[in-house]
C-alpha cells in the first residue's frame, strides 16, 4: 500500500468525530457507529502497516512540506507499529463496550464524538515523524482529556477535575515546548541546508553529536518534563486520580490506550537523545522508580474502585520510565523494548481492570468498595476477568504482566550491579523502589478484588451481570492479559530494537552512549537466583496477605486507621494542599491581585492624575480665552509671523 | 484603483446609511459595502506577487506645496491586515444585525471605521496615514459614548484623549522627520519610505532616538503595551459588543502595523540600537506577563478578555523586537490570528451580557446547560486564545517563541512562564461561568427562558472559529506573504545575536 494511505489511521476517527458531533443525535446508535467503524478501519490499517514493516528492516514514511522549516509526516517504525495496533485495538473494544455502558446517557453523541477525537489525537501522536507535530497532537490529546473528564460538566467536581488535568499536564507541556524551542535553536546553529526539516526525528537523531552535551541534557530533561505531566509521574501525577470524574470508559481510554502512555512514548521516541545524556536517564530512572513506589503506597488505602486503579496506573507508568532509565544505562538496545513491552501488557490488563470496574459500577451504581462485597456470585464473568487482570498486574507467573515486570526489575538490578562501582549505593535505589512497589501492587490489587467480589454484600443493592456488548470486550482483553506476554516475549524485543536501526533511521546507540560518557554492560549478567525469584515471591506474597486480611479476615486492620501514616496516605501526602493551596492560591493569585490593584490605582492613578492636572491647567488657560476677537486676532497674527520667519530662514539656507 | 475603491465603498455606504435613516436599510448597505471590499482584497490576494514589494500602488499629487501626495499601495505587511479587517467587519455587522438603537448611525459608524483602518493599512504617505489614523478614533468614540454601558462617558473620553495624545506625540515625530527632510532637500515630502530611508539616517543621533521614541509611543499606546494600556479595559467594558470586536480585532492592529511599517525600518538607523531593542522587548514581555496576571483576577468576563488582548499583543512586540525573519513573521501572524480569535471572545461576552444581563463571572454559572451552542463556540475560542495547537494562535506564538529565542533567550523563557496562568484564567472562567450546576438566579432580562445563540450570532462566530482552525492547520497562505516581507524588513539588521 502507498505510504500516504496510512495517514487515514488518525484521520478516520477524526472524521468520525465530525460525523458523531453533527449527525450523532439523528443516527440509530446515537453516534456510536461512526467511531466504531472508523476505528475498526484504523485498526485494520494498523495491522496492515505492522505486517508490512515486520520484522522491522523497512519502515513506512511519508512527509509533506508544511511551512518554513517544518513538515507534516507519518512514520511507522516498529515502535509506532506496536503502539498503533494496541491503541486502535483497545480503543475499539472500549468503544464497543461504551455502547452498553453509556446506553442511559443523554449526551451519547457528544461522548462518542469526543472519544473519537481522543483516539485520533493519540494516533496522530504515535504517527508523527517530527517533534512539532508530535507536540501538536499531544496538545490535542490534552484538549480531549479536558473535554472527557469534564463530560458531566454539570457536576462541579467534574468541571474542577477537567481543569486540573489540563493545567497540570500543561505545566509539563510548557517544559516540552521549551525543550523544542531550545532544540530548534541548536539545530538552527548547525547551518543545515535549506529544505532540511529541522524538527524531524531523523534529522534530530543524526545531529545529536553536534549538540553540546549540556544543552542535550537540558533538552531531554525538558522533554521528560512533558512526559512527567502526561504520564502522571511524580510530582505532576496529581491530575490522574481526579480524572475518574469522567465516565469509566474514559478512564479506561486515558489509563490504558491513550494519553498517559504518550509520555512514555515520547521518551521512547527520543531515546537516542536520552542515551547521549546519561544524567537525564538517571533522573528518568529515579523519578520513574519513585513514582512506582509512591503511587503504590497510596493505592493501598484508597476505598474507591477507580481511585485504586488510578494510583495503579501511575505506579505502572513509573515502571515503564524506570525501564527506559535503567536499561538505557546498561544495555541500551533493550530499554525501549522492555518498556514498551510493559506498556502494551499494561494497556490490556489496565483497560480490562477499568472496564471490569465499569461493569461493577454499572451494575451496582456504587464505586466505594466498602459498600460492596460478595459480587462474584452475581457477576461471574466480570469477577473472573477482573481476577485475571489482577494476577497480570501483580505479576503472577506466566501472565503478561509477569514477563514484562520481571524484565524491568531484573533490568534495574543489572543497572545496580553495573553502576554500583561508580555511583555506589544510589545505583540500588531504582531496584529497591521497583521490588517494594511490586509487593504493594500485589497487595492493593487483591485487596480490591477481595473487597469487591468476596464476602457478603455490605449494603443493599441489586447487581446483575452486564450485557454482552460489555462482557465480550472483557473476555477478549482477559485472554490477552493472560497470554499476550508469553506469546510475544521473544520477538517483541527484537522487533522494537529495529526502531533505531532500519532503512530510515539508523542510530548507533552504543556510539551515542559513549558520547554521553557512560559505558554499557558487555552483555546480560546473570543475577543470582534470588533476584529471579524475588518478584514472584512478592507477587504471591501480596496475594496471600490480601487474602488473609480481606477474604479470610484473619487480621483486623481497623486499628491502623488511627495511624498517622494512614492519614498521610489517605490524604495523598497532602498534594492538594501543596499544589492548589500553596502554588495557586498563596503564590500566583496574590501576585495577580497585586497586579490588578497596581493597575487600577498606580498606573491608572498616574493617568488620572495627569488628566486632572490638565483640567486644572485648562481652568487657568480658560482665562486666556477671553472671548474677545481682538485677542484672537493678535494671537493669529503672531502665529503667522512665526511661520513667515521660519520660511524666510529656510529660504536663506 | 483597487485600494481606493475598497476604501471608498464603506464611506459611500456610511453616507447612504445615514441618509436612509432606517436601520433595516443601513445594515444591508453596510454589509454590502463591507463585503465587496472583502472580495476586492481577495482578488488582490489572488494577483499578489509575494516576491515583489509594494503592489497595486497609486500615486497622485495632492497638495504639492506641502509635499502631500495621495499614495497607496499594499505589501505582505498590509494585505493580511486588510483581509483581516475585511473579514471581521462584515461578520461584526452580521453579529450586530438586530441592533435597534439608532441603527442607521450605528452601522454607518462601523463603515467609517472600516474605511479608516483600510486607509491606515494602505497609506504610503504619512499625512494620509495620520488622517486615517485619526479618522478611526471618531466612530469608535461615538460607538462607546452612544451605545456604551453605564460609565460610557468616562470610557469614551478616556479612550479618545489617551489615544489622541499618543497620536499627537506621533504627529510631532512625523513633523520632525518631515521638516528635517524639507530643510535638507528643499522639497517637502510625506512619503513614508522616503522619510525613513533617505531622511532619517541623516539626522543627529539624538534626533533619531527622539523621533523613534515619539513614533513608538504613538503605536504602543494603540497596541496597547503595558504601562500605556489602561484606556483599553475601560473602553472594552463600556463599549457595545460590535465596538469591542472592532476595537480589539482591528484598531489595536494599527499599532502593530506601525511597528512593522515604520518602527522596524527605522530601527536600522536608530541612534541607540540595542537600547531601543531592549525597550521593545521589555514592553513585549511585560505586556505578556502583566496582562496574564491581571486577567486572572478579573470579575468581569469582558475585562478579562481585554487583559488577555494586552497579553497577546505583547507577543507581537516580542516577535518584532527579536528581528529574526520568522519571529517577525510570527508577530505579524499573531496580529492576524488574534484579530480573528478575539472576535469570538468578545462576541461570547456580548451574548452573555445581552441574554443574561450580566457578565460578572460569579453571577453566572452552568450556562452550558441552557446555552450549548454558545458553550461550544466559546470553549473553542478560549482554546484558541490559550494557544491550543491546530488553531492559528499556536502557530503565531510558537513562531514568536521559537525564533525569538535565538535572539532574546531570557525574554522567551520568561514568556513561557505565562503559558500555564494563561490557560488557567481561561479555564477557570469557563468553569465558573459555563460549567457546574446551572445558577437559577440567571435570568433573561427581557423575560422568557434563557436564549441560546441567535442564528446570525452563530454564523458570525462559527465562521471565525472555522477560519481560526483553518489558519492553524494551514498558515501558509497568509504566513507566506509575511515571511517575505519580514525577511526584507530585517535584512541587514543583526538583531541581538
Amino acid at each position: 500500500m502507498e505510504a500516504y494511505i496510512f495517514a487515514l489511521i488518525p484521520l478516520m476517527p477524526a472524521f468520525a468525530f465530525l460525523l458523531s458531533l453533527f449527525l450523532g443525535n439523528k443516527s440509530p446508535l446515537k453516534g456510536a457507529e461512526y467511531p466504531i467503524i472508523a476505528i475498526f478501519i484504523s485498526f485494520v490499517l494498523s495491522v496492515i502497516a505492522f505486517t508490512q514493516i515486520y520484522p522491522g528492516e523497512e519502515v513506512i514514511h511519508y512527509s509533506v512540506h508544511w511551512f518554513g522549516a517544518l513538515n507534516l509526516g507519518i512514520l511507522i517504525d516498529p515502535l509506532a507499529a506496536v503502539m498503533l495496533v494496541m491503541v486502535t485495538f483497545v480503543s475499539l473494544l472500549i468503544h464497543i463496550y461504551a455502547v452498553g455502558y453509556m446506553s442511559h446517557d443523554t449526551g451519547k453523541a457528544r461522548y462518542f464524538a469526543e472519544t473519537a477525537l481522543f483516539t485520533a489525537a493519540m494516533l496522530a501522536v504515535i504517527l508523527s515523524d517530527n517533534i512539532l507535530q508530535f507536540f501538536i497532537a499531544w496538545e490535542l490529546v490534552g484538549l480531549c482529556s479536558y473535554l472527557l473528564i469534564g463530560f458531566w460538566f454539570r457536576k462541579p467536581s467534574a468541571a474542577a477535575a477537567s481543569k486540573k488535568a489540563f493545567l497540570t499536564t500543561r505545566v509539563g507541556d510548557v517544559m516540552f515546548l521549551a525543550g523544542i524551542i531550545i532544540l530548534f535553536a541548536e539545530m538552527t546553529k548547525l547551518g543545515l541546508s535549506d529544505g532540511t526539516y529541522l524538527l524531524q526525528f531523523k534529522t534530530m537523531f543524526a545531529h545529536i553529536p553536534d549538540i553540546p552535551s549540556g544543552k542535550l541534557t537540558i533538552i531531554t530533561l525538558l522533554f521528560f518534563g512533558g512526559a512527567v505531566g502526561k504520564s502522571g509521574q511524580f510530582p505532576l501525577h496529581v491530575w490522574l486520580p481526579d480524572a475518574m470524574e469522567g465516565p469509566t470508559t474514559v478512564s479506561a481510554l486515558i489509563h490504558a490506550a491513550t494519553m498517559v502512555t504518550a509520555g512514555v512514548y515520547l521518551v521512547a521516541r527520543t531515546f537516542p537523545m536520552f542515551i547521549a545524556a546519561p544524567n537525564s536517564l538517571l533522573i528518568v530512572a529515579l523519578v520513574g522508580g519513585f513514582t512506582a513506589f509512591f503511587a503504590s503506597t497510596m493505592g493501598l488505602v484508597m476505598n474507591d474502585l477507580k481511585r485504586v486503579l488510578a494510583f495503579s496506573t501511575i505506579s505502572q507508568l513509573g515502571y515503564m520510565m524506570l525501564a527506559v532509565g535503567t536499561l538505557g544505562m546498561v544495555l541500551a538496545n533493550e530499554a525501549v523494548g522492555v518498556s514498551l513491552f510493559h506498556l502494551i501488557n499494561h494497556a490490556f490488563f489496565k483497560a480490562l481492570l477499568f472496564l471490569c470496574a465499569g461493569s461493577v459500577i454499572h451494575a451496582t451504581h456504587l464505586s466505594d468498595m466498602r459498600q460492596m462485597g460478595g459480587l462474584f456470585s452475581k457477576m461471574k464473568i466480570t469477577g473472573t476477568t477482573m481476577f485475571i487482570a489482577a494476577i497480570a498486574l501483580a505479576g503472577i507467573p506466566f501472565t503478561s504482566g509477569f514477563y514484562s515486570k520481571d524484565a524491568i526489575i531484573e533490568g534495574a538490578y543489572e543497572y545496580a550491579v553495573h553502576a554500583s562501582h561508580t555511583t555506589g549505593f544510589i545505583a540500588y535505589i531504582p531496584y529497591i523502589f521497583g521490588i517494594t512497589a511490586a509487593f504493594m501492587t500485589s497487595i492493593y490489587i487483591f485487596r480490591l478484588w477481595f473487597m469487591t467480589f468476596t464476602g457478603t454484600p455490605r449494603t443493599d443493592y441489586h447487581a446483575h451481570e452486564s450485557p454482552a456488548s460489555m462482557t465480550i470486550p472483557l473476555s477478549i482483553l482477559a485472554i490477552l492479559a493472560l497470554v499476550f506476554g508469553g506469546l510475544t516475549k521473544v520477538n517483541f524485543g527484537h522487533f522494537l530494537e529495529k526502531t533505531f536501526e532500519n532503512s530510515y533511521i539508523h542510530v548507533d546507540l552504543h556510539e551515542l552512549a559513549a558520547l554521553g560518557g557512560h559505558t554499557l554492560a558487555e552483555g546480560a549478567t546473570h543475577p543470582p537466583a534470588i533476584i529471579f525469584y524475588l518478584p514472584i515471591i512478592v507477587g504471591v506474597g501480596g496475594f496471600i496477605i490480601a487474602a488473609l486480611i480481606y477474604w479470610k479476615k484473619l487480621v483486623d486492620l481497623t486499628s491502623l486507621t488511627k495511624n498517622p501514616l494512614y492519614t498521610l496516605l489517605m490524604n495523598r501526602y497532602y498534594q492538594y494542599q501543596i499544589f492548589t493551596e500553596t502554588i495557586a492560591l498563596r503564590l500566583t493569585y496574590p501576585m495577580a491581585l497585586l497586579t490588578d490593584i497596581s493597575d487600577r490605582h498606580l498606573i491608572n492613578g498616574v493617568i488620572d492624575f495627569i488628566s486632572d492636572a490638565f483640567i486644572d491647567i485648562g481652568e487657568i488657560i480658560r482665562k486666556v480665552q477671553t472671548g474677545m476677537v481682538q485677542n484672537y486676532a493678535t494671537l493669529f497674527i503672531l502665529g503667522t509671523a512665526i511661520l513667515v520667519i521660519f520660511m524666510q530662514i529656510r529660504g536663506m539656507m | 484603483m483597487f485600494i481606493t475603491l475598497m476604501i471608498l465603498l464603506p464611506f459611500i455606504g456610511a453616507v447612504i446609511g445615514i441618509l436612509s435613516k432606517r436601520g433595516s436599510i443601513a445594515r444591508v448597505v453596510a454589509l454590502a459595502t463591507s463585503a465587496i471590499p472583502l472580495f476586492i482584497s481577495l482578488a488582490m490576494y489572488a494577483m499578489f506577487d509575494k516576491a515583489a514589494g509594494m503592489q497595486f500602488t497609486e500615486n497622485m499629487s495632492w497638495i504639492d506645496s506641502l509635499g502631500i501626495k495621495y499614495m497607496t499601495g499594499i505589501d505582505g505587511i498590509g494585505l493580511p491586515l486588510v483581509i483581516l479587517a475585511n473579514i471581521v467587519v462584515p461578520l461584526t455587522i452580521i453579529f450586530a444585525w438586530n441592533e435597534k438603537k439608532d441603527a442607521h448611525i450605528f452601522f454607518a459608524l462601523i463603515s467609517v471605521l472600516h474605511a479608516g483602518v483600510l486607509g491606515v493599512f494602505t497609506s504610503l504617505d504619512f499625512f494620509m496615514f495620520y488622517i486615517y489614523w485619526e479618522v478611526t478614533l471618531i466612530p469608535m468614540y461615538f460607538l462607546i459614548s452612544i451605545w456604551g454601558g453605564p460609565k460610557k462617558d468616562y470610557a469614551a473620553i478616556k479612550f479618545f484623549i489617551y489615544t489622541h495624545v499618543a497620536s499627537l506625540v506621533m504627529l510631532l515625530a512625523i513633523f520632525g522627520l518631515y521638516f528635517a527632510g524639507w530643510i535638507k532637500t528643499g522639497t517637502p515630502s510625506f512619503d513614508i519610505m522616503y522619510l525613513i530611508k533617505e531622511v532619517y539616517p541623516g539626522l543627529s543621533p539624538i534626533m533619531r532616538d527622539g523621533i523613534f521614541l515619539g513614533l513608538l509611543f504613538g503605536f504602543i499606546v494603540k497596541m496597547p503595551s503595558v504601562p500605556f494600556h489602561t484606556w483599553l479595559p475601560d473602553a472594552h467594558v463600556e463599549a457595545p459588543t460590535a465596538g469591542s470586536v472592532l476595537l480589539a480585532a482591528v484598531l489595536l492592529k494599527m499599532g502593530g502595523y506601525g511597528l512593522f511599517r515604520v518602527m522596524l525600518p527605522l530601527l536600522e538607523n536608530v541612534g541607540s540600537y540595542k537600547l531601543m531593542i531592549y525597550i521593545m522587548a521589555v514592553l513585549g514581555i511585560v505586556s505578556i506577563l502583566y496582562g496574564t496576571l491581571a486577567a486572572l483576577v478579573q470579575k468581569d468576563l469582558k475585562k478579562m478578555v481585554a487583559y488577555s488582548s494586552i497579553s497577546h499583543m505583547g507577543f507581537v512586540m516580542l516577535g518584532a523586537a527579536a528581528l529574526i525573519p520568522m519571529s517577525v513573521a510570527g508577530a505579524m501572524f499573531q496580529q492576524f490570528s488574534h484579530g480573528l480569535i478575539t472576535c469570538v471572545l468578545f462576541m461570547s461576552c456580548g451574548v452573555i451580557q445581552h441574554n443574561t444581563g450580566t457578565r460578572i463571572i460569579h453571577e453566572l454559572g452552568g450556562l452550558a446547560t441552557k446555552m450549548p451552542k454558545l458553550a461550544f463556540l466559546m470553549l473553542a475560542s478560549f482554546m484558541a486564545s490559550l494557544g491550543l495547537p491546530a488553531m492559528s494562535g499556536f502557530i503565531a506564538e510558537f513562531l514568536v517563541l521559537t525564533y525569538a529565542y535565538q535572539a532574546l533567550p531570557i525574554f522567551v523563557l520568561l514568556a513561557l512562564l505565562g503559558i500555564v496562568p494563561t490557560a488557567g484564567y481561561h479555564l477557570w472562567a469557563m468553569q465558573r461561568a459555563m460549567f457546574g450546576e446551572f445558577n437559577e438566579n440567571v435570568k433573561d432580562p427581557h423575560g422568557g427562558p434563557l436564549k441560546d445563540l441567535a442564528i446570525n450570532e452563530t454564523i458570525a462566530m462559527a465562521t471565525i472559529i472555522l477560519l481560526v482552525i483553518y489558519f492553524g492547520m494551514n498558515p501558509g497562505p497568509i504566513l507566506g506573504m509575511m515571511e517575505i516581507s519580514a525577511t526584507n524588513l530585517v535584512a541587514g539588521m543583526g538583531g541581538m545575536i
Side-chain angles (χ1 to χ4, degrees):
Chain A
M1 261 200 230
E2 297 296 326
Y4 59 83
I5 290 176
F6 295 103
L8 285 176
I9 295 174
L11 289 178
M12 289 306 299
F15 189 53
F17 156 71
L18 294 176
L19 289 177
S20 292
L21 190 65
F22 293 111
L23 306 176
N25 279 326
K26 298 180 189 80
S27 57
L29 281 178
K30 297 288 174 227
E33 55 274 72
Y34 306 116
I36 289 175
I37 295 167
I39 295 170
F40 179 73
I41 296 172
S42 300
F43 171 65
V44 172
L45 283 171
S46 302
V47 173
I48 293 171
F50 185 94
T51 51
Q52 255 187 29
I53 66 162
Y54 196 83
E57 301 295 342
E58 297 293 321
V59 301
I60 294 168
H61 179 243
Y62 182 76
S63 151
V64 291
H65 180 74
W66 194 21
F67 68 89
L70 304 168
N71 75 309
L72 295 176
I74 56 168
L75 169 64
I76 306 181
D77 60 0
L79 179 60
V82 293
M83 286 290 284
L84 283 179
V85 175
M86 182 278 283
V87 170
T88 49
F89 179 73
V90 174
S91 175
L92 182 63
L93 289 184
I94 293 174
H95 276 83
I96 293 169
Y97 175 97
V99 176
Y101 187 78
M102 297 296 286
S103 54
H104 307 299
D105 202 285
T106 49
K108 277 206 288 289
R110 185 164 57 91
Y111 169 83
F112 282 106
E114 287 170 358
T115 51
L117 188 65
F118 200 15
T119 309
M122 185 65 197
L123 292 171
V125 167
I126 297 169
L127 277 172
S128 297
D129 83 329
N130 66 81
I131 194 88
L132 179 62
Q133 189 186 332
F134 192 107
F135 180 76
I136 290 172
W138 169 282
E139 289 283 277
L140 293 180
V141 169
L143 166 72
C144 297
S145 70
Y146 172 75
L147 296 175
L148 283 166
I149 294 169
F151 180 73
W152 288 314
F153 59 82
R154 288 176 192 85
K155 254 179 25 186
S157 58
S162 64
K163 185 190 66 182
K164 184 176 182 180
F166 194 89
L167 291 183
T168 314
T169 52
R170 202 154 178 88
V171 173
D173 297 349
V174 171
M175 288 193 257
F176 187 6
L177 181 64
I180 295 176
I181 290 171
I182 296 171
L183 173 73
F184 191 83
E186 292 299 319
M187 297 296 287
T188 311
K189 281 185 201 158
L190 302 179
L192 302 179
S193 61
D194 283 353
T196 313
Y197 296 126
L198 297 180
L199 292 180
Q200 222 169 16
F201 290 121
K202 185 187 168 75
T203 324
M204 283 160 54
F205 295 163
H207 293 283
I208 290 171
D210 303 328
I211 299 174
S213 68
K215 282 274 163 59
L216 200 61
T217 306
I218 292 172
I219 294 167
T220 45
L221 281 180
L222 287 168
F223 282 4
F224 180 60
V228 165
K230 264 307 185 262
S231 283
Q233 298 294 288
F234 177 84
L236 297 182
H237 61 280
V238 287
W239 65 273
L240 198 52
D242 291 10
M244 61 175 210
E245 286 294 342
T248 306
T249 42
V250 170
S251 304
L253 262 183
I254 291 178
H255 288 259
T258 60
M259 183 116 183
V260 293
T261 54
V264 179
Y265 184 71
L266 170 63
V267 176
R269 189 36 95 202
T270 55
F271 182 67
M273 304 179 72
F274 276 87
I275 201 162
N279 291 336
S280 303
L281 272 185
L282 182 61
I283 287 174
V284 172
L286 288 174
V287 170
F290 180 69
T291 306
F293 168 79
F294 175 74
S296 61
T297 59
M298 288 180 279
L300 287 175
V301 297
M302 294 298 147
N303 292 316
D304 188 291
L305 208 52
K306 285 166 78 179
R307 193 157 265 158
V308 175
L309 296 181
F311 281 110
S312 162
T313 302
I314 297 171
S315 169
Q316 296 302 307
L317 290 162
Y319 274 110
M320 297 169 208
M321 294 293 186
L322 176 75
V324 182
T326 53
L327 278 163
M329 286 183 284
V330 261
L331 295 172
N333 300 356
E334 287 180 21
V336 170
V338 170
S339 178
L340 259 285
F341 190 36
H342 194 56
L343 190 155
I344 303 287
N345 288 334
H346 173 257
F348 293 137
F349 62 69
K350 187 52 60 68
L352 179 53
L353 282 169
F354 266 103
L355 296 186
C356 288
S359 180
V360 170
I361 293 167
H362 190 69
T364 63
H365 301 287
L366 293 172
S367 68
D368 191 328
M369 297 187 294
R370 285 171 297 189
Q371 298 167 345
M372 298 179 185
L375 271 177
F376 190 75
S377 55
K378 287 167 188 149
M379 304 180 75
K380 288 224 164 47
I381 303 176
T382 305
T384 315
T385 52
M386 198 164 195
F387 189 76
I388 292 170
I391 58 173
L393 171 64
I396 302 297
F398 314 116
T399 59
S400 292
F402 165 71
Y403 293 103
S404 50
K405 190 182 281 181
D406 207 45
I408 291 173
I409 292 173
E410 266 180 55
Y413 182 78
E414 299 221 6
Y415 166 72
V417 173
H418 178 70
S420 58
H421 309 302
T422 47
T423 50
F425 178 70
I426 197 170
Y428 281 92
I429 291 176
Y431 173 73
I432 294 169
F433 279 145
I435 195 75
T436 43
F439 181 51
M440 286 184 286
T441 303
S442 180
I443 298 179
Y444 72 66
I445 197 62
F446 290 115
R447 167 178 176 266
L448 178 146
W449 197 86
F450 287 126
M451 277 179 83
T452 308
F453 290 102
T454 64
T456 48
R458 284 179 283 274
T459 47
D460 264 349
Y461 52 78
H462 299 284
H464 54 87
E465 186 56 274
S466 298
S469 73
M470 290 166 71
T471 51
I472 291 171
L474 294 185
S475 312
I476 296 173
L477 283 170
I479 294 167
L480 283 166
L482 264 188
V483 302
F484 180 82
L487 290 180
T488 59
K489 66 179 193 295
V490 182
N491 296 336
F492 196 93
H494 293 308
F495 182 50
L496 263 285
E497 273 178 28
K498 294 285 177 203
T499 302
F500 303 112
E501 186 61 60
N502 54 50
S503 59
Y504 176 69
I505 288 177
H506 21 84
V507 185
D508 189 337
L509 292 177
H510 286 265
E511 213 168 79
L512 288 178
L515 192 77
H518 67 289
T519 46
L520 301 172
E522 296 301 318
T525 49
H526 294 283
I530 178 71
I531 296 303
F532 179 74
Y533 290 115
L534 203 53
I536 304 173
I537 295 169
V538 297
V540 176
F543 172 81
I544 294 168
I545 290 173
L548 291 177
I549 301 172
Y550 298 102
W551 182 24
K552 296 294 172 201
K553 307 253 190 311
L554 293 179
V555 187
D556 186 18
L557 290 184
T558 39
S559 60
L560 276 183
T561 52
K562 308 241 173 1
N563 195 315
L565 185 65
Y566 179 84
T567 323
L568 182 70
L569 292 179
M570 274 311 276
N571 286 299
R572 302 194 236 159
Y573 296 93
Y574 298 100
Q575 298 143 14
Y576 172 82
Q577 284 76 355
I578 294 168
F579 282 90
T580 310
E581 291 191 355
T582 309
I583 296 180
L585 294 178
R586 298 234 168 90
L587 201 72
T588 316
Y589 195 73
M591 253 165 71
L593 272 180
L594 202 66
T595 310
D596 186 55
I597 290 166
S598 83
D599 198 60
R600 279 184 288 145
H601 299 292
L602 192 68
I603 297 184
N604 202 36
V606 170
I607 300 298
D608 282 346
F609 173 77
I610 293 174
S611 71
D612 287 347
F614 271 102
I615 291 169
D616 293 344
I617 295 168
E619 290 291 324
I620 298 164
I621 293 178
R622 203 172 58 163
K623 286 160 191 150
V624 181
Q625 274 187 331
T626 50
M628 281 187 279
V629 182
Q630 300 96 307
N631 288 4
Y632 294 154
T634 317
L635 285 172
F636 179 71
I637 292 165
L638 203 66
T640 317
I642 292 168
L643 263 179
V644 169
I645 291 166
F646 174 77
M647 301 281 187
Q648 287 297 320
I649 293 169
R650 196 185 55 79
M652 282 187 287
M653 287 161 72
Chain B
M1 275 319 288
F2 279 122
I3 294 174
T4 306
L5 184 65
M6 189 172 73
I7 298 172
L8 218 49
L9 271 168
F11 268 130
I12 296 170
V15 173
I16 299 175
I18 290 191
L19 293 179
S20 76
K21 298 206 167 126
R22 296 255 309 275
S24 54
I25 296 174
R27 66 190 185 187
V28 176
V29 174
L31 182 59
T33 52
S34 64
I36 299 171
L38 173 61
F39 293 110
I40 296 177
S41 56
L42 291 179
M44 285 200 287
Y45 174 77
M47 288 184 273
F48 189 78
D49 179 3
K50 281 182 189 172
M54 211 43 92
Q55 295 163 54
F56 307 101
T57 48
E58 294 164 43
N59 193 343
M60 286 174 279
S61 56
W62 186 7
I63 310 176
D64 281 338
S65 55
L66 293 175
I68 299 169
K69 286 198 245 173
Y70 182 83
M71 278 174 77
T72 58
I74 210 160
D75 63 356
I77 304 174
L79 186 52
L81 293 174
V82 166
I83 294 175
L84 171 70
N86 286 340
I87 293 171
V88 167
V89 174
L91 289 174
T92 309
I93 292 171
I94 292 174
F95 180 85
W97 198 246
N98 298 321
E99 178 65 46
K100 294 284 181 290
K101 184 181 175 187
D102 294 329
H104 61 294
I105 304 175
F106 183 81
F107 290 109
L109 288 174
I110 292 179
S111 292
V112 173
L113 195 84
H114 187 195
V117 292
L118 291 179
V120 168
F121 295 147
T122 52
S123 292
L124 299 178
D125 181 284
F126 251 137
F127 189 79
M128 280 172 59
F129 176 84
Y130 186 77
I131 291 190
Y132 283 127
W133 183 275
E134 292 291 280
V135 159
T136 59
L137 279 184
I138 298 156
M140 187 49 76
Y141 171 79
F142 284 116
L143 282 174
I144 299 174
S145 68
I146 299 177
W147 288 270
K151 280 167 67 190
K152 59 191 177 188
D153 292 333
Y154 171 74
I157 289 283
K158 188 173 182 181
F159 160 76
F160 191 87
I161 293 181
Y162 205 135
T163 55
H164 187 62
V165 166
S167 306
L168 286 178
V169 174
M170 182 170 83
L171 185 67
L172 276 179
I174 293 175
F175 275 155
L177 262 179
Y178 169 70
F179 283 116
W182 195 348
I183 291 167
K184 196 172 143 200
T185 61
T187 42
S189 171
F190 272 108
D191 183 338
I192 296 179
M193 281 305 126
Y194 164 78
L195 290 176
I196 289 172
K197 291 292 172 204
E198 308 293 329
V199 175
Y200 185 73
L203 302 177
S204 66
I206 278 282
M207 269 295 271
R208 276 180 277 154
D209 283 353
I211 287 173
F212 187 89
L213 289 174
L215 287 165
L216 185 65
F217 184 70
F219 296 133
I220 59 176
V221 169
K222 201 65 147 193
M223 274 181 79
S225 267
V226 177
F228 306 108
H229 64 281
T230 50
W231 62 272
L232 184 83
D234 286 321
H236 270 311
V237 167
E238 302 306 324
T241 305
S244 277
V245 169
L246 294 175
L247 177 60
V250 187
L251 288 199
L252 305 189
K253 305 302 172 280
M254 290 166 30
Y257 173 78
L259 283 188
F260 303 116
R261 175 63 69 227
V262 180
M263 302 321 295
L264 289 192
L266 285 179
L267 198 53
E268 194 176 352
N269 298 305
V270 79
S272 323
Y273 181 63
K274 292 217 160 168
L275 176 68
M276 295 303 161
I277 292 180
Y278 271 126
I279 287 177
M280 289 170 67
V282 168
L283 285 170
I285 189 71
V286 169
S287 300
I288 293 173
L289 296 178
Y290 186 97
T292 303
L293 281 176
L296 261 174
V297 289
Q298 296 310 318
K299 296 183 176 69
D300 181 338
L301 198 59
K302 202 171 183 186
K303 211 167 179 183
M304 184 197 91
V305 174
Y307 278 105
S308 94
S309 271
I310 295 169
S311 170
H312 285 116
M313 291 305 280
F315 279 93
V316 176
M317 186 61 100
L318 185 63
L323 296 176
I324 306 276
M326 283 306 275
S327 79
V328 175
M332 293 175 183
F333 197 70
Q334 172 76 346
Q335 291 240 90
F336 183 80
S337 157
H338 177 254
L340 290 176
I341 295 168
T342 199
C343 288
V344 190
L345 296 177
F346 279 113
M347 287 173 181
S348 303
C349 296
V351 171
I352 290 177
Q353 164 79 39
H354 184 262
N355 293 12
T356 71
T358 182
R359 283 187 318 249
I360 307 301
I361 297 172
H362 62 77
E363 291 176 6
L364 302 165
L367 291 189
T369 312
K370 307 275 172 170
M371 307 167 86
K373 279 189 216 158
L374 171 72
F376 182 79
L377 290 170
M378 185 173 166
L379 183 61
S381 68
F382 271 39
M383 285 294 163
S385 180
L386 64 79
L388 191 81
M391 294 173 124
S392 60
F394 171 75
I395 302 283
E397 286 172 18
F398 176 78
L399 284 174
V400 169
L401 293 171
T402 307
Y403 285 88
Y405 178 80
Q406 297 166 22
L408 304 161
I410 303 296
F411 289 85
V412 168
L413 294 180
L414 284 172
L416 287 172
L417 290 180
I419 291 183
V420 174
T422 299
Y425 68 74
H426 281 109
L427 296 191
W428 196 29
M430 211 59 208
Q431 181 195 351
R432 288 177 298 164
M434 305 305 286
F435 300 145
E437 273 177 71
F438 178 67
N439 182 350
E440 295 295 340
N441 296 325
V442 178
K443 294 208 169 63
D444 191 329
H446 316 286
L450 214 53
K451 285 190 284 292
D452 201 351
L453 294 183
I455 181 76
N456 59 315
E457 292 162 345
T458 314
I459 291 172
M461 291 166 75
T463 308
I464 297 169
I465 290 296
L466 286 176
L467 287 171
V468 167
I469 294 172
Y470 173 75
F471 287 114
M473 301 210 270
N474 186 21
I478 293 291
L479 192 63
M481 290 190 278
M482 297 167 166
E483 216 178 314
I484 292 167
S485 291
T487 311
N488 294 335
L489 265 185
V490 300
M493 280 193 278
M496 296 305 281
I497 306 182

